[in-house]
Amino acid sequence: MSELETRADAHLMRTYPPPAVSFVSGRGSMLFDTAGNAWLDFLCGLAVTSLGHAHPAVTEAVARQAGTLTHTSNLFLTAPAVELAERLARLTGWDDARVFFAQCGATANEAAIKLARRYGKARHPDKVRVVALEGSFHGRTLATLEATGQPAKHGPFAPLAGFVDHVAYDDAEVLRAAVTDATCAVLLEVVQGEGGVRRVPDEVLVAAREACDAHDALLIVDEVQTGIGRTGPWFAFQATPVVPDVITLAKALANGLPIGACVAHGPAAEVFAPGDHATTFGGNPVACAAANAVIDTILADGLLATAEARSRRLVEGLQELVATSPLATGVRGAGLLLGLELAAPVAAEVVAACREQLLVVNAVAADVVRLAPPLTVTRQEIDTALTALAAALEAVAPAVSTPASELPPTPGATRT
Ligand SMILES: Cc1ncc(COP(=O)(O)O)c(C=O)c1O
């Protein structure tokens, strides 16, 4: 154990397994560890640093705002929050959008769930139920944990409040049947990031929209991971046939500064009244200044188009791996949120082998490795990552022909 790891082991709560490496700095797609090694970052701090590390526009905006005003609470107005809300209204195309700022994905979803329950209860006292999808991930607060469709994560904290009904992520008719007059919202991701980079089929999205309309419930799309260009458009729903009532954002919005946003339009935007919901750090001017810089940079540099071209190259390269490695069986996802499917539950081993090549990726299922490079990734960096991945697959492939009983234990697939 390094000296830092020993100190961490003494005083940090053990919510994560011990990290394999500690980083001290980053630039663009690269991370530098305590020994001075340069790593290629195809994880982006869990789909967060989409402009790469230490992007000058974000650094400048943060430094300027930190030297001007860091916090006032939301009892007072500050310009960066208002400007960010205006930008989000423009990007969603919702002229009447209203935004609640939170600190992260879970608190953005918590706000959306509370908003939906307030909306439902205004119509009927029992209209408080939420329909969510199996395999989803919405956060770790009690309400968002309950919405998360991964029962193993519920177990240690049960009993939960019991207001969420989970349905299969790929069955439109089951979803339609689950939505009733007691439903205040359907909450879903367009691509389940933590659930294994799984695309929810369009017919399920359409069924959710129609069922919400039929039962006067809100459609909430969790864009915490997919938003801000990660899957192609600004928001993943923009490449689908549906328009939600509410979206939630976090992760890439401020390129690493903690922020979350719940964006609503139409009647949903008018639900909250003063006193209904609040948080001390919501709309923090430094985080909002960073987010404004992120959006301006993506627009000024045409990064959505660049990322689309990079995605094509990366998918092509991954498909070549599928054609050449017996261990790689498929590619899924969208934009620069991609999953490499494996023939066996050895994603953790492949991730560890990538580490040997100084490539950062992670496992989102026992048999799926996630790749989420920055939108600014270069063609050359993609080629380097593909070479590293090919070497990792080659290193792990022989173990797959070994009987499972002789394989080393698989560590937890995801650290989110
Ligand atoms: C789709 C989605 N929603 C919510 C969250 C929770 O976000 P946070 O960890 O910022 O609370 C995550 C985190 O991975 C996520 O992927």
Side-chain angles (χ1 to χ4, degrees), residues 71-78 81 100-101 103 277-284:
H71 178 74
T72 63
S73 87
N74 45 35
L75 298 180
F76 308 98
L77 278 180
T78 55
F100 176 84
F101 287 115
Q103 300 85 11
H277 196 51
T279 177
T280 300
F281 288 115
N284 173 269

Side-chain angles (χ1 to χ4, degrees), residues 16 46 103-109 136-141 144 148 189 191-194 222-226 248 250-251 259 370 416:
Y16 296 101
L46 297 167
Q103 300 85 11
C104 62
T107 50
N109 283 331
S136 62
F137 186 83
H138 298 295
R140 300 285 200 156
T141 63
T144 59
T148 291
E189 302 150 271
V191 179
Q192 295 185 333
E194 301 309 311
D222 178 341
E223 297 261 10
V224 165
Q225 184 154 164
T226 52
T248 52
K251 290 199 183 273
I259 195 168
R370 168 173 51 188
T416 301

Side-chain angles (χ1 to χ4, degrees), residues 45-46 66 92 96 212 239 304 346:
L46 297 167
T92 50
D96 59 344
C212 284
L304 297 191
V346 290

Side-chain angles (χ1 to χ4, degrees), residues 19-21 39 348 350-361 392 415:
V21 58
W39 296 63
V350 172
V351 168
C354 285
R355 242 183 252 141
E356 298 293 313
Q357 308 287 323
L358 302 183
L359 172 67
V360 184
V361 289
R415 290 168 53 92

Side-chain angles (χ1 to χ4, degrees), residues 91-137:
L91 297 178
T92 50
W94 300 336
D95 291 345
D96 59 344
R98 293 189 185 279
V99 183
F100 176 84
F101 287 115
Q103 300 85 11
C104 62
T107 50
N109 283 331
E110 190 80 23
I113 292 168
K114 283 183 71 180
L115 184 153
R117 287 175 62 116
R118 179 92 162 81
Y119 177 90
K121 279 175 78 79
R123 282 147 181 82
H124 189 281
D126 297 335
K127 194 173 176 61
V128 293
R129 300 198 67 75
V130 171
V131 173
L133 302 187
E134 289 168 5
S136 62
F137 186 83

Side-chain angles (χ1 to χ4, degrees), residues 145-171:
L145 176 67
E146 176 159 0
T148 291
Q150 300 185 33
K153 291 186 168 63
H154 297 179
F157 305 99
L160 300 176
F163 70 94
V164 181
D165 303 305
H166 287 101
V167 295
Y169 85 102
D170 58 354
D171 191 326

Side-chain angles (χ1 to χ4, degrees), residues 15-16 108 122 124 163 168 172 195 259 272 307 322 363 375 381:
T15 49
Y16 296 101
H124 189 281
F163 70 94
I259 195 168
F272 279 149
V322 170
L375 307 187
E381 287 164 346

